[in-house]
Amino acid sequence: MQHFLKETDFTPDQAQEVFHLARDMKASRFSSPEALNFQSWGLLFFKSSTRTRISFEVGVNELGGFPVVLDSQNTQIGRGESIGDTARVMSRYLHGLVIRTFGHEIIESFAANSTIPVINGLTDFNHPCQLYTDLFTFLERINPDTIDISALRGRKVAFFGDCASNMANSWIISAAMFGMELALAGPEDFAPEQRVVDALKAEGLPVNYRFTTNPEEAAKDADLLYTDVWVSMGDEATASSRKARMQPYQVTQPLMAMAKPDAYFMHCLPAHAGEEVSQEVLDSPRSIIFDEAENRLHTQKAIMAKLAELNAQ
């Protein structure tokens, strides 16, 4: 059974096919192939969501399927039913399952006990659907004619803030997979963790990112500047100290000026203006955050369609 739990669950060739599908589905949104025709897909949320829920629910509908939205607290999981039993039961009812949760081991356990494809809608370790969306959005700007992943090779991405976060991990894995240059800037105690290095080595990928505490060094000559919230769900108890430690890593216009003149700014949202990014940057012509948000729909439709194709073989 083919799942999509991490960025490398698709080969580079399959990722290329996903990006081409996303392009075609975006161009003809309401005449997309009904790859999930009469299928029922579960959307299981352990965490609150805006973009993930809406984009997947709409996406399943537009592919001809039926979304079944589930809250972990309103299922028997919330009363102690094991993940293994839940996954086996859901596999008897559903054709696929999207999960947004906390620990990565939760989604791995679902996949291990499921006979249907499982998609990672976010864990504390990574966010592969968002990262594929980000790459697709970037390719729309730098290689709009073909959306060819070869255009990513050698491009420099600069990530600012919590460099041990799920988005930072996804960028580390994807930069190695697609041959991009990645510089991460944040406080020393928010450097990438050993577990992402272990993930790279397990996939046979190079450990090719650079971490620095100097934001200007990371931004220099970058093609893309990226940040995320400083306080993720589950980190609220340390919000004040995190904000104080991260303040030097806010993405501002002066920091953008260190990058290439045609560099773009991206953020997976929700954004907190005045914290991880200034309002001026959010409103600037180089900010493509809302194209990025829209593309969650098209990219995730392509991911589901590709999984349906692979699992039908």
Side-chain angles (χ1 to χ4, degrees), residues 125-146:
F125 177 69
N126 68 338
H127 199 352
C129 290
Q130 180 67 59
L131 212 292
Y132 269 48
T133 297
D134 297 337
L135 293 176
F136 173 67
T137 306
F138 192 36
L139 283 168
E140 283 186 312
R141 296 307 192 287
I142 63 174
N143 191 242
D145 294 333
T146 63

Side-chain angles (χ1 to χ4, degrees), residues 176-192:
M177 180 179 178
F178 294 103
M180 305 177 75
E181 180 185 350
L182 177 65
L184 302 105
E188 190 66 51
D189 47 335
F190 289 91

Side-chain angles (χ1 to χ4, degrees), residues 157-293:
V157 176
F159 184 97
F160 301 92
D162 184 354
C163 301
S165 65
N166 53 7
M167 282 307 307
N169 289 342
S170 282
W171 271 111
I172 288 170
I173 294 168
S174 297
M177 180 179 178
F178 294 103
M180 305 177 75
E181 180 185 350
L182 177 65
L184 302 105
E188 190 66 51
D189 47 335
F190 289 91
E193 297 176 336
Q194 183 62 38
R195 60 177 179 165
V196 74
V197 175
D198 294 341
L200 289 173
K201 292 179 177 178
E203 297 290 342
L205 292 171
V207 182
N208 67 342
Y209 68 85
R210 292 184 297 109
F211 173 75
T212 178
T213 57
N214 185 327
E216 289 79 14
E217 178 186 333
K220 183 175 173 55
D221 296 327
D223 296 284
L224 173 65
L225 281 74
Y226 200 103
T227 192
D228 194 7
V229 296
W230 289 341
V231 183
S232 299
M233 283 178 279
D235 295 326
E236 290 82 2
T238 59
S240 295
S241 62
R242 276 176 167 265
K243 291 177 183 179
R245 298 282 287 121
M246 298 286 182
Q247 190 59 46
Y249 302 95
Q250 181 184 110
V251 179
T252 61
Q253 282 293 85
L255 193 65
M256 288 288 297
M258 300 293 294
K260 291 180 180 177
D262 58 351
Y264 294 101
F265 171 75
M266 297 175 73
H267 189 309
C268 57
L269 302 181
H272 298 85
E275 292 184 11
E276 71 271 9
V277 58
S278 69
Q279 188 68 56
E280 187 179 15
V281 170
L282 287 171
D283 294 339
S284 76
R286 310 312 300 176
S287 173
I288 52 175
I289 57 175
F290 295 111
D291 291 331
E292 180 187 3

